[in-house]
Amino acid sequence: MSAASTGQPDLRLDTADPRLVLLLALGDDELVLGHRHSHWTGVAPHLEEDLAFSSIAQDEIGHAVVWYGLASELTGHDPDALGLGRAPHEYRNAILVERENGDWGYSIARQYLYDTADDVRLSALADSAWTALAQATGAIRREERYHLMHARTWLDRLAHGPVEARRRVTAGLSAALRDALGLFEPLPGEAALVDEAILPTSHADLLQRWLDLVAADLERVGLERVLEEGTSLADADFVPTSSGQMEAPAALSAPHLERRADRWEPVGEFSGHGGRWGRHSEAFTAVWEELTGTYRAHPGARW
C-alpha cells in the first residue's frame, strides 16, 4: 500500500545541508503559528481583533511560503510538498508555536514573545552572506513590524487594564516564556552557518538580544517579575522522536535567567533536543493533522 493511499506523507528530505534546516525552522515557525492564530477567526474578543488576527495569520503563512520557496530551490521539491508533505517528526518549528491558544492572555503573550524574537532574528538575517536569504527578509520585516506593534499594544492594554486582564496576561507570559526560549535552540549544523555568515549571529547571541528587548518591555509595563520566576524547558510532554516513537520527558532544557548588574542574562546552555530537531509536544499532532489533512487526502491537488 502506498504512502499516498494511507494518507501518510512520502516526502523524504536530506537535511545534511544546514541551510535547509534553517529555512525549515523559519518556515515551520510561521506556518504553525499562522495556523494557531487562524483559530481566533470568529471567536476573538471583538470584531476588530477578529480581523486583525485573521490578517496576521495570513501574513505568517505567506512568510512561510517565502521560506519554503527558498528551500524548494535547494531541494527541487515543490513548496507545497515542503510545507505540507512531511511527517510530524520532520517539522522544525519551536514548541512555542504549536501550543494550544488557551485564553486571550496567553495568545497575546505568545504573539508578543514570538514577534520580538522574530524581529531579532530577521534583523540578523538581513545581513546574511547568502544574498537570497538576506533579500527575502525585506517584505517580511515590514509586515512583522506591524505584528509586533499589535502585540505590544495589547501587552500595554492588558498590563494596564483591570486586575483580571493583568492577571491573565501575566499568567500567559509565565506559561509562554519557557517555550519561547526554545526559539533560540541551536540548529543542527549551526556552527557551519555561522562560520559562513549565512547565519550572521549565533542563536546564543540572538537570545541575549531578545532578552534585552523583552526585559525592557516588561519593566516598562511593570511585569518584570515574570522573569524573576525563572524558566525551564524541561516538562512532562510526550514528544515524537525522529523514528516516530513517543517518549517522555522532553529532552530539551534551556539556560535559566539571572539578573546580573543591570541586565537579565541566560546562564548555562541548551542541552538535549527540541523542536529544531523534530521533537514536539503532544499538541503538535492535532496541528499537523489539520494543516496537512487536505494535502494528504488529495495528493497532487492544485487550487
Side-chain angles (χ1 to χ4, degrees), residues 166-167 169-178 181 218 222-232 255-259 264:
R166 186 177 178 86
R167 184 189 71 78
V169 75
T170 301
L173 287 165
S174 296
L177 182 62
R178 176 190 62 182
L181 295 178
L218 295 185
L223 295 179
E224 191 178 17
R225 69 181 180 84
V226 170
L227 299 175
E228 297 172 0
E229 295 171 356
T231 55
S232 171
H256 65 279
L257 306 182
E258 288 186 6
R259 180 81 179 190
W264 285 90

Side-chain angles (χ1 to χ4, degrees), residues 6-13 15 24-25 28-29 31-32 68 81-95 97-98 238-246 274-293 295-296:
T6 61
Q8 296 299 313
D10 57 3
L11 182 67
R12 294 292 183 268
L13 291 178
T15 54
L24 293 179
D28 293 348
D29 276 355
L31 178 66
V32 176
Y68 295 144
L82 290 168
L84 304 172
R86 286 174 285 147
H89 67 271
E90 294 174 313
Y91 282 77
R92 301 305 182 105
N93 60 278
I95 289 175
V97 302
E98 69 197 36
F238 283 74
V239 296
T241 65
S242 59
S243 64
Q245 299 292 319
M246 303 297 287
R276 300 309 190 205
W277 295 72
R279 298 171 63 92
H280 297 285
S281 70
E282 287 184 304
F284 186 66
T285 301
V287 176
W288 178 83
E289 289 178 346
E290 288 183 358
L291 273 173
T292 65
Y295 186 87
R296 289 180 289 116

Side-chain angles (χ1 to χ4, degrees), residues 15-285:
T15 54
D17 186 342
R19 294 178 301 168
L20 177 58
V21 176
L22 172 61
L23 292 171
L24 293 179
L26 293 168
D28 293 348
D29 276 355
E30 299 282 81
L31 178 66
V32 176
L33 185 62
H35 187 73
R36 280 302 192 197
H37 281 346
S38 74
H39 287 175
W40 279 109
T41 302
V43 294
H46 50 77
L47 180 59
E48 185 179 70
E49 281 310 307
D50 196 310
L51 296 173
F53 250 75
S54 297
S55 178
I56 291 171
Q58 286 184 310
D59 286 346
E60 303 291 25
I61 294 171
H63 300 164
V65 172
V66 173
W67 301 128
Y68 295 144
L70 285 180
S72 176
E73 295 176 10
L74 291 181
T75 64
H77 289 293
D78 183 81
D80 285 349
L82 290 168
L84 304 172
R86 286 174 285 147
H89 67 271
E90 294 174 313
Y91 282 77
R92 301 305 182 105
N93 60 278
I95 289 175
L96 174 71
V97 302
E98 69 197 36
R99 296 292 191 189
E100 295 182 358
N101 284 342
D103 66 7
W104 188 246
Y106 176 82
S107 283
I108 290 299
R110 175 172 59 184
Q111 187 205 352
Y112 164 74
L113 294 172
Y114 177 81
D115 283 335
T116 49
D118 203 31
D119 185 60
V120 167
R121 179 169 62 183
L122 290 170
S123 295
L125 292 176
D127 294 324
S128 175
W130 185 9
T131 303
L133 180 67
Q135 291 177 343
T137 65
I140 294 177
R141 290 179 73 191
R142 288 191 292 273
E143 292 182 344
E144 289 291 352
R145 285 170 180 163
Y146 285 104
H147 299 179
L148 184 53
M149 288 172 58
H150 174 268
R152 280 188 168 133
T153 297
W154 267 102
L155 179 69
D156 288 359
R157 183 175 182 178
L158 295 176
H160 295 116
V163 172
E164 180 64 10
R166 186 177 178 86
R167 184 189 71 78
R168 285 180 179 267
V169 75
T170 301
L173 287 165
S174 296
L177 182 62
R178 176 190 62 182
D179 288 331
L181 295 178
L183 290 164
F184 300 96
E185 178 187 4
L187 298 170
E190 178 164 328
L193 292 171
V194 174
D195 287 345
E196 297 176 21
I198 292 171
L199 180 63
T201 307
S202 70
H203 278 95
D205 289 338
L206 293 178
L207 173 57
Q208 183 63 69
R209 293 183 188 180
W210 171 77
L211 189 56
D212 288 342
L213 290 176
V214 170
D217 280 345
L218 295 185
E219 183 175 6
R220 176 175 53 81
V221 298
L223 295 179
E224 191 178 17
R225 69 181 180 84
V226 170
L227 299 175
E228 297 172 0
E229 295 171 356
T231 55
S232 171
L233 276 169
D235 60 27
D237 279 350
F238 283 74
V239 296
T241 65
S242 59
S243 64
Q245 299 292 319
M246 303 297 287
E247 62 182 43
L252 181 65
S253 62
H256 65 279
L257 306 182
E258 288 186 6
R259 180 81 179 190
R260 294 184 171 182
D262 61 346
R263 74 190 308 197
W264 285 90
E265 297 181 4
V267 178
E269 298 180 350
F270 285 93
S271 63
H273 293 162
R276 300 309 190 205
W277 295 72
R279 298 171 63 92
H280 297 285
S281 70
E282 287 184 304
F284 186 66
T285 301

